[in-house]
Amino acid sequence: MSKRFFSAKSLNVFELSLDKWEYPKHSHNFFELIFILKGNGQHVLNESVFEYTEGDIFLLTPKDEHEFRIRDHTDFGFIKFTEQLFIEKTELVSDLKWRKNLDAVVLHANSIPENIVSNTTDRSHVFELFRIIKKEYITPSLYSRSILLELLGALLIIISRNLNKNATIHAISEEEKVSDILTYIRQNVLDKDTIRIKEIAATFSMSPSYVSVFIKKHAGISIQQYVIQTKIKMAERLLKQTNLNISEIAQKTGFTDSSHFNKLFKKYTGKNPSEF
């Protein structure tokens, strides 16, 4: 069984300069963009092994396992981010097109197991965006967080453009489809229009009457219950990590009022919000 690495940060940006890869084959609880700034060798991703070289870009999801086999000294650039960053981004914008581009990256990244940006101009833009993002992350100033979200959004849309160009039609298992739908719900949980049954069904080419049955059958939970659970987990994190009061957290996580929030929170966690 491979090792699994965890990160509490919603965003982390850094570089590594290595002669030897020091980590066992592993997966993560986050998404990871990897930029090959210099060097070459082999990248082992899931069951595939292929050559990497300067200028390559890889995207790993929490489903993926990987390791590198370094041949020549390699400089790596990393952008690690969690689903919480998507929620933060969608709180700032209501652009449905942006979210659909994001879904293309997150839900279909593995359609290209090798370098994910084939267009030469796009690749140049992505590397330049990585350099700007790293500088803004390392030396933050006024509005840095908003700038980082916008820059990362632009980077992901460029990647989406390349994924869409190179995507191949492939059958996915029911387990994968369930995982994709639940990921979609988590990412869009604060947008009530986007997570309506009709919209979910259209996104995944299913009938509205079947998508609810499908999720209940395979996940053992209704879509409505899953939405509430996701919001409760968000609220729990905000209670632990912020100074927001209960009323503010109820509003931020999309509950109608504090009383409704308190009742559901107690039902799903066994505790009152005030106990956190």
Side-chain angles (χ1 to χ4, degrees), residues 3-272:
K3 188 175 180 64
R4 187 166 177 84
F5 294 152
F6 292 86
S7 174
K9 294 182 177 180
S10 62
L11 177 65
N12 194 13
V13 186
F14 60 95
E15 291 184 13
L16 282 179
S17 185
L18 299 173
D19 290 311
K20 182 179 180 181
W21 187 251
E22 301 169 349
Y23 311 97
K25 192 174 184 182
H26 62 276
S27 59
H28 324 90
N29 71 320
F30 47 83
F31 297 87
E32 185 173 55
L33 276 166
I34 305 174
F35 304 82
I36 306 300
L37 307 173
K38 178 183 177 182
N40 62 78
Q42 290 183 322
H43 189 199
V44 182
L45 177 57
N46 300 320
E47 303 305 317
S48 300
V49 181
F50 41 83
E51 299 293 314
Y52 75 80
T53 190
E54 181 177 336
D56 282 347
I57 304 160
F58 304 105
L59 172 62
L60 277 67
T61 76
K63 298 178 183 178
D64 296 318
E65 296 181 350
H66 84 122
E67 65 179 334
F68 285 97
R69 298 170 183 169
I70 298 173
R71 183 178 300 114
D72 293 329
H73 177 91
T74 301
D75 293 337
F76 299 93
F78 295 90
I79 298 179
K80 300 184 178 186
F81 54 99
T82 67
E83 289 178 4
Q84 181 57 40
L85 197 75
F86 306 152
I87 294 170
E88 189 177 341
K89 171 69 174 173
T90 53
E91 284 177 345
L92 295 178
V93 298
S94 58
D95 186 352
L96 182 59
K97 185 177 180 181
W98 188 94
R99 286 197 299 274
K100 287 186 175 178
N101 275 306
L102 183 60
D103 291 338
V105 174
V106 172
L107 301 180
H108 307 295
N110 292 330
S111 63
I112 302 178
E114 301 182 0
N115 173 52
I116 59 171
V117 181
S118 56
N119 181 276
T120 303
T121 301
D122 282 352
R123 191 182 305 182
S124 175
H125 290 337
V126 167
F127 271 85
E128 185 60 33
L129 281 167
F130 168 72
R131 285 187 283 269
I132 298 170
I133 288 169
K134 188 188 77 167
K135 184 175 180 180
E136 191 69 38
Y137 183 83
I138 293 172
T139 56
S141 58
L142 188 64
Y143 303 126
S144 277
R145 190 66 176 185
S146 295
I147 291 169
L148 283 169
L149 290 173
E150 293 300 331
L151 291 170
L152 185 60
L155 189 153
L156 291 174
I157 288 174
I158 294 174
I159 290 173
S160 170
R161 177 163 66 190
N162 281 262
L163 289 175
N164 287 333
K165 283 180 182 177
N166 294 281
T168 56
I169 298 173
H170 64 288
I172 64 172
S173 68
E174 289 189 338
E175 182 181 349
E176 288 176 310
K177 193 157 194 173
V178 171
S179 177
D180 289 348
I181 292 171
L182 296 182
T183 297
Y184 173 87
I185 292 171
R186 290 196 301 274
Q187 291 165 4
N188 298 284
V189 72
L190 296 178
D191 187 333
K192 62 181 181 181
D193 291 329
T194 302
I195 58 171
R196 292 184 191 279
I197 298 297
K198 185 177 179 180
E199 183 65 27
I200 295 171
T203 301
F204 292 93
S205 302
M206 301 170 75
S207 71
S209 60
Y210 180 63
V211 69
S212 297
V213 175
F214 179 79
I215 291 298
K216 180 69 174 178
K217 175 183 175 182
H218 293 283
I221 188 173
S222 71
I223 289 176
Q224 182 182 19
Q225 288 174 324
Y226 190 72
V227 168
I228 294 172
Q229 276 192 5
T230 302
K231 288 182 176 182
I232 293 296
K233 287 178 182 177
M234 288 175 59
E236 190 172 340
R237 181 187 61 81
L238 291 172
L239 285 165
K240 291 177 179 178
Q241 300 178 5
T242 73
N243 294 320
L244 296 172
N245 62 43
I246 291 173
S247 178
E248 290 170 329
I249 290 174
Q251 182 180 18
K252 198 170 186 66
T253 50
F255 291 94
T256 53
D257 54 55
S258 297
S259 176
H260 184 230
F261 169 65
N262 287 335
K263 182 179 179 181
L264 286 173
F265 194 92
K266 175 74 172 178
K267 177 181 177 181
Y268 280 86
T269 69
K271 296 181 180 180
N272 293 312

